[in-house]
Amino acid sequence: NWMPYEWSLNNVATAEVMHTALANWQAGRNEKGFNLFKSELLSTMYLGGSAGNIGQISFYDAARGESYRDFADPVAMTARSLVEGLFGILPYALKGELMIKPGFPAAWNHASISIPDISVDYKRNGKEDRYTIIPSLGKKMKLKLVVKANGANVQSVIVNGKKATWKNVEDAIGSPAIEVSSIVQDKYVISMIWSGNSTAVSGLESR
């Protein structure tokens, strides 16, 4: 009771939690980002008084309780966290670049999303990570795929059946990551085969 109530300063707001989850994803903290995202979905959509709804304020809020169920700000921030954070879909039309930087938890072996602008399908089979990306954006853009390492070394990277180059992400946070680039194509099928069990990627760039 030391802090007098002031609107938005001490509320448990869904949009703010989702924004914090996205910030963790942007900082390369995939596990933290997903834990926050999942926890808030459980809080607002399953444990609250309005099943399936994305409410503005959590029932954990001591001052307001669960209220303001018809506000759009938590819906937009939840969608943004899902698209930009968990699936890492980051188009940069002015640069003509489509970055995909997935924020999947390390234990995930598959995930997919389909929205009007793009579809992304991810599958892990042992040491192979396969991404199928089909963009439907208004502008054609070259692809930049940034993924966390799944082994000590990169054995091969194939894009649409052809060998592709890759490089280390020197400022990766938490664990090593590589970047795979590709020219503009209508569909990208990217296969990455790793070797070894550690997550220390060797080599700066394939030859």
Side-chain angles (χ1 to χ4, degrees):
N1 60 2
W2 63 272
M3 182 179 180
Y5 177 77
E6 194 71 29
W7 171 252
S8 84
L9 295 183
N10 57 358
N11 291 109
V12 185
T14 300
E16 292 176 3
V17 177
M18 289 298 184
H19 213 149
T20 306
L22 178 59
N24 274 274
W25 270 312
Q26 290 172 338
R29 304 175 69 191
N30 292 354
E31 305 295 331
K32 291 285 187 182
F34 179 71
N35 284 341
L36 270 175
F37 181 78
K38 180 180 178 180
S39 297
E40 191 60 21
L41 283 185
L42 288 170
S43 170
T44 188
M45 299 186 76
Y46 295 93
L47 301 177
S50 182
N53 187 49
I54 302 176
Q56 188 194 31
I57 300 177
S58 168
F59 72 92
Y60 288 114
D61 192 288
R64 305 290 294 187
E66 184 185 9
S67 59
Y68 301 101
R69 295 173 179 167
D70 58 346
F71 274 54
D73 54 334
V75 177
M77 199 61 231
T78 299
R80 186 178 171 198
S81 296
L82 172 70
V83 173
E84 292 184 24
L86 183 60
F87 282 88
I89 299 169
L90 302 163
Y92 193 169
L94 293 177
K95 280 181 67 175
E97 179 181 279
L98 171 61
M99 177 182 283
I100 307 293
K101 188 180 180 181
F104 306 140
W108 281 22
N109 290 319
H110 57 86
S112 63
I113 189 172
S114 181
I115 54 179
D117 288 327
I118 193 169
S119 68
V120 177
D121 182 80
Y122 156 73
K123 289 183 176 65
R124 172 171 289 171
N125 183 13
K127 286 298 178 181
E128 181 188 20
D129 290 343
R130 180 178 291 266
Y131 290 84
T132 302
I133 300 166
I134 306 175
S136 303
L137 296 151
K139 179 178 179 178
K140 299 286 187 181
M141 290 180 270
K142 61 184 179 181
L143 179 70
K144 181 187 290 185
L145 175 65
V146 179
V147 298
K148 297 278 189 180
N150 183 30
N153 296 285
V154 180
Q155 187 170 318
S156 68
V157 177
I158 305 295
V159 178
N160 290 353
K162 297 181 180 179
K163 183 179 179 181
T165 59
W166 59 272
K167 65 180 181 179
N168 265 343
V169 178
E170 295 184 0
D171 60 352
I173 298 171
S175 62
I178 68 167
E179 176 188 306
V180 179
S181 298
S182 175
I183 60 173
V184 174
Q185 303 195 48
D186 292 331
K187 178 180 179 180
Y188 305 89
V189 179
I190 303 164
S191 170
M192 288 166 282
I193 299 179
W194 307 83
S195 63
N197 295 320
S198 70
T199 55
V201 178
S202 62
L204 289 176
E205 189 169 350
S206 62
R207 301 300 181 193

